[in-house]
Amino acid sequence: MSVDPLCCFCACHIVCMLTLMRSTVFNVLFVRELTKRLPQKTRLVVDAVNPGFCKSNLRRNLPTWVNIRLGLQELFLARTTEEGSRRLVVGALGYQDREDELHGAYVSDSELQEVSDYALSPEGEEVQKRIWVKH
């Protein structure tokens, strides 16, 4: 029985995208709860920053056919790692005049973004608290 590579790619691609979305939400929840747990008067600002799709060697151990597909996507869609790192710097330093808005915020494409409805929901807040439960 042969396996259809296109079908595998689609399934793999869907799983990867779902994993990425979940990890982004988890990151936002983590940052929001960490911000709540910091002392009120701290000068430390914690935010979640998305550098976007960047060219890198993270895919070096993937199968060749996946590397070819991702390589084409990188060619047309990806930023350089330098461009991605600039977005991290903007998240860290770029909003010094708006620090109150940045606490627990999500920054993507160098802009403050509204967090998801899930993160603001009672269920999201419960998950956010459970991240910190000691076992």
Side-chain angles (χ1 to χ4, degrees):
M1 175 189 295
S2 68
V3 177
D4 179 7
L6 184 58
C7 180
C8 287
F9 176 76
C10 291
C12 177
H13 186 68
I14 290 168
V15 168
C16 288
M17 291 305 295
L18 289 173
T19 302
L20 178 62
M21 286 187 278
R22 285 185 187 130
S23 67
T24 301
V25 170
F26 185 84
N27 189 24
V28 169
L29 294 175
F30 175 84
V31 164
R32 289 171 58 86
E33 189 64 22
L34 175 59
T35 299
K36 282 183 178 181
R37 292 170 181 265
L38 288 173
Q40 202 71 348
K41 299 283 185 183
T42 185
R43 294 187 58 189
L44 181 64
V45 176
V46 181
D47 59 352
V49 182
N50 173 18
F53 180 41
C54 299
K55 297 175 186 173
S56 71
N57 287 327
L58 289 175
R59 60 184 170 80
R60 66 184 169 269
N61 295 322
L62 294 175
T64 303
W65 63 273
V66 175
N67 263 322
I68 291 170
R69 174 71 183 220
L70 288 174
L72 289 172
Q73 288 178 334
E74 276 187 356
L75 184 64
F76 294 106
L77 302 173
R79 301 179 169 105
T80 65
T81 49
E82 180 185 346
E83 291 168 330
S85 67
R86 287 183 204 153
R87 280 155 176 78
L88 297 174
V89 171
V90 166
L93 304 173
Y95 294 96
Q96 291 182 351
D97 55 333
R98 296 167 55 191
E99 288 177 356
D100 291 340
E101 295 175 55
L102 200 57
H103 288 281
Y106 176 62
V107 180
S108 185
D109 287 329
S110 301
E111 296 289 329
L112 286 170
Q113 302 291 324
E114 186 175 327
V115 296
S116 70
D117 291 340
Y118 177 78
L120 300 173
S121 73
E123 182 183 357
E125 287 190 25
E126 181 60 34
V127 170
Q128 180 176 308
K129 289 176 188 168
R130 284 194 339 230
I131 291 170
W132 292 88
V133 173
K134 294 181 181 181
H135 296 282

